[in-house]
Structure formats: structure tokens, C-alpha cells
């Protein structure tokens, strides 16, 4: 989650028993990334020493970014257990990461992307489906996983639309091994989101999510109230803008005006499931209870 997930949220998630993921680009530079990884290594080690093993953390390595080589080298030095790759084919980084003992899960948005990632040696696939927050997919999650299961038997993760444990149980029965839960954790106490962002997530519903190319040049799910709050009309956005031009208008180096993700906020279809601001541990515990309840309800129905 760009500009949202940092070392505190990742550490809290790991302590709670769920994989804490964050884009390496959220660290201001590679030195800060190194410090984050050192902190997270300490969290995992301390939990193991205490007899309560933490879940691993998972840096998200964005392929198309200027810092790729430096970030990759940093991840390899730390022998990170799991790395996510996104926004580009993972082939160039899989070899160095495998040499460091790192498993690589590739973020894919189409069947062809999934096939290519498997051909290049990805250990797992993250299926970016319709409903994911930020830059999103467009494929139905049920159709996508069944098609992928036709040629891949490794770990498959669902990204998009998971708001609670009931949805997580449905994903498991459809053929996914794991699932992302992003939007709900934006409102976590440990996230980098502003208080205004958190309040908007709590107040928003699924109907407040707008699919637009206007801010990134790619399909992106954004919150209509944040668009209006910055003087823009969600119904009158430039849907023909290019990736390069969108960076000039809404990127970090653009002239004064609203910035994507900083002022124009993203959320996925699961935003209706954000009912309050909770700690990562509380969100995890609630999700576990929901998951167990959904699983038991299914078992009762099958008896």
C-alpha cells in the first residue's frame, strides 16, 4: 500500500500472525529500507526467542522504479524470506532473490502475466482482481483462480475484495491459499494514513469507490469523497491521460495541487467492511473469529 504501509504496520501484522507487506518504495531511500529490514528481522527473531513465532514480512519490490537495483541488493543482503514483485515481469530479480534463499510471489493481472511469471520461476502468484484498492485488476476472482489452477499448483493469493473472514473463507474454497487484506489495514492504528484518511474509510461505502485512470494513467480505485474534497468532479476526470502525463499532473514532483495517494486517497471494494479504527492485532483477531465462524457454518450445512 503506497504511502500507507511502513515498518510499524508490518511489524504489528507479523506479531499478530499475518504476513506484513509493504512496498520498498515507501522507505525514503535504500538506507531507510535497510533500517526497516533490520527492525523487522529483530521482530521476527524476538518472537522466535519468546516461543511465539511471528509471521514473515514481505517487501513489495516494484519492478519499474529507479531504485530497483539498490532495493534488490538490500533485500538480498537481508536474505528476506518472502518478496512480492509488482508492476513488471519478475524474471530479472528472481535469480538474485533465489540465490539469497528468498521465495518470490509475483503480482499478476492477466492470465498471460501469470503464465509468464511461472515460466520465469515465480514461487507463488498474487492474482490482482477487480475490486483491489489502488491500481487494480479487472478479472473476476473466481474465474481467474480456476484458470490459473489449470497450469499452476503452487501458492496462489487473492488480491481484491477481502473485507472479513467470511470473504477469506470463500477465497479458500475457490482455490486460493491466501488473500490480501489491504483496505481494512489502511485504517489500522499503526498505518501511515492520516486521521482524515482513516475517518473517510470508516464513513465510506462501496458506492464511494471510483474506478479511474485519471490519477495514474492506469485503472485505479479511488475514493470519490477525496476527489471532491480536492475540487475535482469524479464524473469529469480525464480518462485518456497517459501514465507519464498523470505523473506530471498528480505525481510527487508536479506543480502545486492535489497529489495521488497523498491527497486523492485509494480504497478497494472492501471499504464497506471498515467499521472502525483498530490495531492490526484487533483486526487480525476479528478476522480469525469470522473465518472460523464461516468455516463452521459451511461444515454444518454439509452434514
Amino acid at each position: 500500500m503506497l504511502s500507507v504501509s511502513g515498518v510499524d504496520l508490518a511489524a504489528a501484522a507479523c506479531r499478530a500472525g499475518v504476513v506484513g507487506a509493504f512496498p520498498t518504495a515507501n522507505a525514503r531511500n535504500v538506507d531507510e529500507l535497510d533500517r526497516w529490514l533490520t527492525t523487522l528481522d529483530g521482530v521476527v527473531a524476538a518472537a522466535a526467542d519468546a516461543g511465539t513465532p511471528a509471521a514473515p514480512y514481505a517487501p513489495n519490490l516494484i519492478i519499474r522504479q529507479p531504485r530497483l537495483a539498490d532495493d534488490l541488493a538490500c533485500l538480498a543482503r537481508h536474505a528476506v524470506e518472502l518478496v512480492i514483485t509488482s508492476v513488471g515481469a519478475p524474471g530479472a530479480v528472481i535469480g538474485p532473490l533465489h540465490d539469497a534463499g528468498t521465495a518470490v510471489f509475483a503480482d499478476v493481472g492477466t492470465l498471460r502475466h501469470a503464465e509468464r511469471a511461472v515460466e520465469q520461476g515465480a514461487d507463488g502468484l498474487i492474482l490482482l482482481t477487480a475490486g483491489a484498492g489502488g491500481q487494480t485488476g479487472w478479472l473476476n476472482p473466481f474465474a481467474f483462480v480456476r484458470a490459473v489452477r489449470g497450469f499452476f499448483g503452487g501458492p496462489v493469493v487473492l488480491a481484491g475484495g477481502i473485507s472479513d473472514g467470511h470473504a477469506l473463507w470463500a477465497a479458500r474454497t475457490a482455490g486460493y491459499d491466501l488473500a490480501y487484506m489491504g483496505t481494512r489495514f489502511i485504517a489500522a492504528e499503526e498505518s501511515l494514513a492520516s486521521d482524515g484518511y482513516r475517518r473517510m474509510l470508516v464513513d465510506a461505502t462501496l458506492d464511494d469507490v471510483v474506478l479511474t485512470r485519471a490519477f495514474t494513467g492506469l485503472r485505479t480505485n479511488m475514493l470519490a469523497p477525496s476527489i471532491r474534497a480536492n475540487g475535482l468532479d469524479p464524473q469529469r476526470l480525464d480518462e485518456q491521460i497517459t501514465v507519464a502525463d498523470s505523473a506530471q499532473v498528480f505525481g510527487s514532483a508536479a506543480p502545486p495541487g492535489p497529489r495521488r495517494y497523498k491527497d486523492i486517497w485509494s480504497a478497494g471494494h472492501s471499504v464497506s467492511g471498515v467499521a472502525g479504527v483498530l490495531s492490526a492485532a484487533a483486526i487480525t483477531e476479528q478476522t480469525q473469529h469470522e473465518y472460523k465462524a464461516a468455516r463452521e457454518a459451511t461444515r454444518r450445512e454439509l452434514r
Side-chain angles (χ1 to χ4, degrees):
M1 298 182 288
L2 278 172
S3 303
V4 171
S5 52
V7 64
D8 291 340
L9 180 57
C14 293
R15 291 190 188 99
V18 296
V19 176
F22 62 94
T24 62
N26 279 3
R28 289 170 294 181
N29 50 53
V30 72
D31 290 334
E32 182 171 65
L33 175 62
D34 182 72
R35 291 193 293 272
W36 283 13
L37 299 182
T38 299
T39 296
L40 291 167
D41 288 338
V43 168
V44 173
D49 290 342
T52 55
Y57 62 89
N60 182 338
L61 187 59
I62 299 171
I63 301 300
R64 296 175 188 167
Q65 54 126 339
R67 266 174 39 193
L68 176 62
D70 290 340
D71 285 3
L72 173 61
C74 186
L75 297 177
R77 284 197 305 273
H78 282 265
V80 172
E81 184 174 345
L82 173 63
V83 163
I84 298 163
T85 64
S86 62
V87 195
V93 303
I94 286 179
L97 289 171
H98 278 176
D99 289 344
T102 300
V104 180
F105 279 37
D107 194 83
V108 296
T110 69
L111 198 59
R112 180 56 187 147
H113 289 158
E115 292 168 342
R116 287 182 62 196
V118 172
E119 291 166 0
Q120 292 174 354
D123 302 288
L125 298 175
I126 299 166
L127 308 191
L128 184 63
T129 70
Q135 291 182 1
T136 187
W138 54 91
L139 296 179
N140 177 282
F142 299 105
F144 201 177
V145 71
R146 299 322 308 161
V148 166
R149 283 304 187 197
F151 61 86
F152 184 64
V156 176
V157 185
L158 168 60
I162 300 297
S163 60
D164 56 25
H166 300 279
L168 180 58
W169 173 245
R172 288 296 308 277
T173 61
Y176 292 96
D177 299 288
L178 301 162
Y180 268 8
M181 185 178 282
T183 298
R184 196 167 175 192
F185 278 88
I186 299 175
E189 294 172 354
E190 299 89 348
S191 87
L192 298 174
S194 66
D195 289 340
Y197 193 175
R198 292 189 180 93
R199 285 194 300 272
M200 187 173 291
L201 288 168
V202 172
D203 293 339
T205 72
L206 174 58
D207 288 345
D208 291 310
V209 178
V210 174
L211 180 63
T212 178
R213 295 177 181 268
F215 304 104
T216 67
L218 301 170
R219 295 179 181 90
T220 308
N221 278 322
M222 307 299 265
L223 283 168
S226 73
I227 297 172
R228 287 191 289 267
N230 283 279
L232 301 173
D233 184 347
Q235 303 301 318
R236 295 179 177 273
L237 300 173
D238 182 2
E239 299 299 339
Q240 306 305 316
I241 197 169
T242 66
V243 172
D245 286 346
S246 69
Q248 292 296 316
V249 178
F250 298 108
S252 58
R259 298 288 186 269
R260 59 195 184 194
Y261 301 121
K262 181 181 179 181
D263 304 302
I264 309 293
W265 296 326
S266 66
H269 288 181
S270 58
V271 71
S272 286
V274 182
V277 177
L278 304 172
S279 68
I283 294 170
T284 301
E285 183 178 7
Q286 184 175 344
T287 303
Q288 289 173 334
H289 287 313
E290 294 162 348
Y291 180 86
K292 291 176 181 177
R295 183 182 60 191
E296 291 306 311
T298 301
R299 288 176 175 173
R300 286 195 299 271
E301 291 173 1
L302 293 176
R303 287 175 188 154

